[in-house]
Amino acid sequence: MCTLEITLNGISQQPVAILDTKISVSAYTPIDLSAHNPDLEGMAITDPDQCQAYIDQVLKQRSAAVAYGGYLEQRNLYADKSGFATQGKPPRNIHLGIDFWAPAGTQVVTPLLGKVHSFRNNTTPGDYGPTIILIHEVKGVTFHTLYGHLSPESLEGLYTGKEFRPGEALATLGTPDINVHYAPHLHFQIIQDMQHNQGDYPGVCSRTDLDFYSSNCPDPNLLFKL
């Protein structure tokens, strides 16, 4: 493991919550939204309603409240979004964070001490909608966390440098019309080098760029321990 991965792994030995602390992490269940999941064959997964119906089915079957997963998952979820296709290259369809699927309005809490790095409403189809990026320093190691698909109200009152403590309310999840046409969820991503980006950072990459992005965006579950 690299220095950042070792640091993330050492932050907590117990599971870490990212949504409303009244929802126990024991009520989180993994979900497979990959292109290789036979349950999704023939399903229009790019349609928020159909995607939500599948998520609800998984949650009901497992008596769970939150579905999570997706790190380095190859997905068909972006197939209808022109911004994910690049001429002469494989499509961007490999997910670089963990998604937490829960109802719109669900509270997002900060998993560790951080300050606002930047924020923006990214309205391009397929992007994050309202987005917050925090910057953290743990044992001399600096990194960032990105929170996407939020409600517009989540950006109110923010300013660069505003501090959030562990477990403090940061935002709420947005609706499909606000989060740029996805079923309600939180996209959470860890980023080492922001590469001068402000309020946005790629959350999906092509296989040709995977080595760089998987190194710059390590597995969030090193922190969450889910």
Side-chain angles (χ1 to χ4, degrees):
M1 288 195 292
C2 70
T3 301
L4 175 54
E5 290 173 321
I6 293 169
T7 301
L8 292 169
N9 195 49
I11 289 173
S12 174
Q13 299 306 309
Q14 302 299 320
V16 174
I18 187 68
L19 299 180
D20 190 331
T21 52
K22 293 191 290 292
I23 305 173
S24 169
V25 290
S26 64
Y28 289 33
T29 190
I31 192 169
D32 179 3
L33 293 177
S34 75
H36 311 293
N37 182 354
D39 291 343
L40 301 181
E41 191 170 336
M43 183 181 298
I45 195 65
T46 57
D47 180 271
D49 292 334
Q50 291 203 36
C51 183
Q52 186 65 62
Y54 178 70
I55 293 164
D56 289 343
Q57 175 186 322
V58 171
L59 292 175
K60 184 177 180 180
Q61 287 173 344
R62 302 178 189 173
S63 300
V66 175
Y68 74 90
Y71 180 65
L72 301 191
E73 191 171 75
Q74 182 181 339
R75 294 172 162 178
N76 292 327
L77 194 56
Y78 320 109
D80 66 333
K81 299 167 180 67
S82 60
F84 288 76
T86 305
Q87 189 172 6
K89 292 182 66 174
R92 293 194 302 124
N93 61 6
I94 300 175
H95 192 250
L96 298 170
I98 288 183
D99 286 334
F100 295 86
W101 304 88
T106 300
Q107 188 180 82
V108 178
V109 299
T110 52
L112 66 164
L113 179 67
K115 295 181 179 180
V116 174
H117 169 275
S118 52
F119 55 95
R120 190 165 73 200
N121 189 357
N122 297 292
T123 58
T124 302
D127 210 320
Y128 299 120
T131 309
I132 300 172
I133 298 172
L134 302 183
I135 186 169
H136 312 270
E137 184 175 342
V138 178
K139 297 181 179 178
V141 177
T142 300
F143 59 96
H144 309 78
T145 53
L146 182 150
Y147 308 77
H149 307 296
L150 308 175
S151 67
E153 294 77 15
S154 302
L155 304 186
E156 295 176 0
L158 289 185
Y159 54 87
T160 300
K162 182 175 182 178
E163 184 176 274
F164 286 89
R165 305 195 66 80
E168 187 174 352
L170 173 70
T172 54
L173 299 186
T175 52
D177 59 315
I178 296 298
N179 75 21
V180 206
H181 207 59
Y182 294 104
H185 70 288
L186 170 70
H187 173 93
F188 178 92
Q189 187 169 332
I190 295 173
I191 306 159
Q192 186 164 19
D193 180 3
M194 285 293 299
Q195 301 179 278
H196 306 293
N197 285 279
Q198 296 285 319
D200 197 6
Y201 190 85
V204 182
C205 75
S206 73
R207 58 178 173 80
T208 54
D209 298 323
L210 182 58
D211 285 349
F212 169 76
Y213 281 111
S214 60
S215 175
N216 196 43
C217 303
D219 186 353
N221 208 32
L222 291 166
L223 168 66
F224 289 123
K225 307 285 193 307
L226 295 173

